[in-house]
């Protein structure tokens, strides 16, 4: 409903492809069965054959409890599972903002923050949420440090327990905005989510779903609707990110980085360069992941640079516009 514009945009494309059905959004994933709004669905054989796997947040087209199509994703929250099983895993789709939650207590760790921030790429706005101000005397200095290291990620301090500072989150919680809440275990994600949901948690989040046989079951949502109309994603997939938190990406990077010290060329891309110390030492798929991640990080950096430049120009543009109005005699 809120995103009819987006759906409408694709409706025509689907009509042309003669995909018929009702658009809906995946609110939870039960391993092969998906809750789409209030309906338990499965994926069509054709999609399964094509390797298409819906995730929470996906917009899909459903006919007779079968997902017929997955709409192109605006964004993907994903992790690169590096190492032996190299694959990029999509954790959630169509996410606007990622709240990266970190405790201001012993949990505070800049390296870990870096890793969680790498999840929010390709159009997802990362927002650093430093939690537990009520038990930390270093909140201010730590916030300053984060701001210095990640100038393009808004960073605020809150206490999910006392409710202090929650106003900071308001700009990203407008109606129809989708926010994924990530961060390692114990940082206060559940406490924060419960607080934002208020009394609505029990009322709206248990779902009486209908399956293909018309049977009713009670299930849960992982895409949660806030009273104000924003959507929060809280999936087990995101909760398990911590498993990767201290291994995966870091391993892939450190192995390649360490080996590359011995490459003949400083700027070796470990591709076809002679005297490369990395190629051959690292499994091909691992190297591919490394390249992919590095490309994504570069892309993210350049995107952020672009945004900074735009922001810097904004006041100038506003002044220009005001001057033009003045010359035209407009108010
Ligand atoms: P999660 O694993 O990220 O979902 O974290 P929880 O929400 O379960 O919180 C872990 C622990 O931290 C619980 O004991 C919470 O009561 C506590 N906690 C969460 N937020 C705050 C806070 O702002 N201040 C304090 N003092 N404790 C908090
Ligand atoms: Zn090399």
């Amino acid at each position: 409903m809120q995103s009819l514009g987006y759906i409408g945009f694709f409706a025509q494309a689907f009509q042309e492809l003669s995909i018929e059905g009702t658009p809906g959004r995946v609110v939870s994933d039960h391993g092969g069965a998906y809750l789409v709004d209030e309906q338990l669905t499965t994926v069509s054989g054709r999609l399964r054959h094509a390797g298409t796997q819906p995730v929470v947040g996906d917009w899909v087209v459903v006919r007779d409890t079968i997902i017929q199509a997955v709409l192109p994703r605006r964004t993907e929250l994903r992790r690169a599972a590096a190492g032996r099983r190299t694959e990029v895993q999509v954790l959630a789709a169509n996410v606007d903002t990622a709240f990266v939650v970190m405790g201001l207590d012993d949990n505070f760790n800049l390296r870990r923050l870096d890793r969680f921030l790498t999840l929010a790429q390709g159009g997802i706005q990362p927002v650093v949420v430093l939690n537990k101000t009520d038990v930390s005397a270093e909140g201010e200095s730590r916030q300053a440090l984060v701001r210095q290291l990640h100038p393009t990620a808004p960073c605020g301090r809150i206490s999910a327990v006392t409710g202090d500072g929650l106003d900071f989150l308001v700009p990203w919680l407008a109606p129809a905005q989708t926010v994924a809440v990530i961060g390692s275990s114990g940082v206060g994600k559940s406490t924060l989510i419960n607080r934002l949901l208020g009394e609505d948690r029990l009322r709206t989040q248990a779902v009486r779903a209908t399956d293909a046989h018309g049977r009713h079951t009670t299930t849960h949502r992982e895409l949660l609707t806030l009273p104000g109309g924003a959507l929060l994603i809280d999936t087990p997939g995101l909760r398990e990110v911590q498993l990767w938190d201290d291994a995966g990406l870091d391993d892939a990077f450190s192995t390649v980085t360490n080996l590359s010290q011995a490459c003949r060329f400083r700027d070796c891309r470990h591709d076809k360069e002679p005297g490369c110390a990395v190629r051959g030492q690292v499994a091909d798929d691992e190297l591919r992941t490394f390249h992919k991640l590095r490309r994504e990080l570069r892309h993210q950096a350049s995107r952020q640079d672009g945004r900074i430049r735009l922001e810097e120009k904004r006041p100038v543009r506003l002044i220009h516009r005001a001057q033009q109005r003045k010359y035209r005699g407009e108010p």
Side-chain angles (χ1 to χ4, degrees):
M1 300 125 280
Q2 302 122 331
S3 294
L4 267 182
Y6 183 66
I7 294 291
F9 178 77
F10 289 105
Q12 196 175 352
F14 283 117
Q15 221 159 32
E16 279 162 19
L17 293 167
S18 19
I19 295 169
E20 288 168 26
T22 316
R25 201 161 183 203
V26 176
V27 297
S28 57
D29 176 347
H30 303 274
Y34 302 89
L35 188 63
V36 177
D37 299 327
E38 315 259 288
Q39 207 176 35
L40 269 181
T41 63
T42 49
V43 175
S44 77
R46 192 173 49 83
L47 284 187
R48 202 173 309 128
H49 193 71
T52 306
Q53 267 191 341
V55 297
V56 171
D58 260 326
W59 286 99
V60 296
V61 178
V62 177
R63 193 180 64 233
D64 300 334
T65 73
I66 308 283
I67 296 177
Q68 307 289 337
V70 178
L71 273 60
R73 293 167 178 159
R74 275 187 299 111
T75 64
E76 286 182 339
L77 190 76
R78 50 187 166 163
R79 66 168 169 184
R84 297 292 143 243
R85 284 170 49 250
T86 299
E87 57 188 41
V88 171
Q89 185 188 1
V90 180
L91 302 167
N94 303 313
V95 173
D96 298 295
T97 308
F99 285 170
V100 180
V101 186
M102 198 160 72
L104 280 167
D105 51 6
D106 293 343
N107 174 262
F108 186 84
N109 179 315
L110 290 168
R111 238 164 48 104
R112 186 179 302 137
L113 178 65
D114 266 358
R115 295 206 204 96
F116 277 102
L117 284 172
T118 62
L119 290 176
Q121 298 181 40
I124 299 175
Q125 171 69 55
V127 173
V128 181
V129 181
L130 299 175
N131 188 30
K132 310 196 185 184
T133 47
D134 56 311
V135 290
S136 172
E138 284 134 310
E140 223 167 312
S141 56
R142 289 181 165 170
Q143 181 183 29
L145 200 56
V146 171
R147 283 183 167 160
Q148 195 185 344
L149 289 169
H150 302 282
T152 57
C155 170
R157 283 178 290 143
I158 66 155
S159 168
V161 162
T162 68
D164 262 0
L166 287 182
D167 281 356
F168 166 71
L169 304 175
V170 169
W172 299 282
L173 296 174
Q177 287 288 302
T178 303
V179 179
V181 184
I182 60 180
S184 43
S185 181
V187 296
K189 296 184 296 295
S190 308
T191 312
L192 173 64
I193 290 169
N194 281 329
R195 188 165 259 282
L196 293 174
L197 284 168
E199 288 164 9
D200 276 31
R201 173 140 221 167
L202 288 175
R203 193 152 52 79
T204 61
Q205 313 309 337
V207 182
R208 289 265 298 163
T210 315
D211 67 11
H213 308 285
R215 282 186 304 241
H216 296 290
T217 38
T218 302
T219 177
H220 68 288
R221 290 167 181 273
E222 292 160 2
L223 184 78
L224 312 163
T225 312
L226 294 192
L231 301 144
L232 281 191
I233 296 187
D234 177 28
T235 76
L238 290 184
R239 293 188 164 267
E240 284 154 16
V241 166
Q242 74 218 24
L243 298 178
W244 150 91
D245 177 10
D246 279 310
L249 178 62
D250 210 33
D251 284 352
F253 269 107
S254 60
T255 312
V256 175
T257 313
N258 290 340
L259 286 169
S260 65
Q261 308 287 321
C263 291
R264 186 182 305 163
F265 299 108
R266 274 230 139 270
D267 58 352
C268 182
R269 292 176 56 246
H270 325 309
D271 189 9
K272 297 201 165 64
E273 290 87 347
C276 174
V278 174
R279 214 173 1 148
Q281 295 294 313
V282 174
D284 279 354
D285 53 352
E286 216 167 317
L287 200 54
R288 264 198 300 279
T289 304
F290 172 80
H291 281 305
K292 192 165 160 38
L293 266 163
R294 206 176 49 171
R295 267 199 309 277
E296 282 174 358
L297 290 171
R298 284 234 182 94
H299 174 73
Q300 187 191 21
S302 67
R303 202 168 44 82
Q304 287 177 343
D305 284 353
R307 205 153 47 203
I308 295 167
R309 277 199 299 275
L310 264 181
E311 304 237 324
E312 282 168 351
K313 278 185 193 151
R314 188 181 291 155
V316 180
R317 278 207 309 262
L318 287 177
I319 293 166
H320 273 287
R321 245 176 258 158
Q323 283 174 338
Q324 283 168 354
R325 275 200 300 273
K326 194 169 161 215
Y327 290 131
R328 285 196 231 112
E330 291 168 19

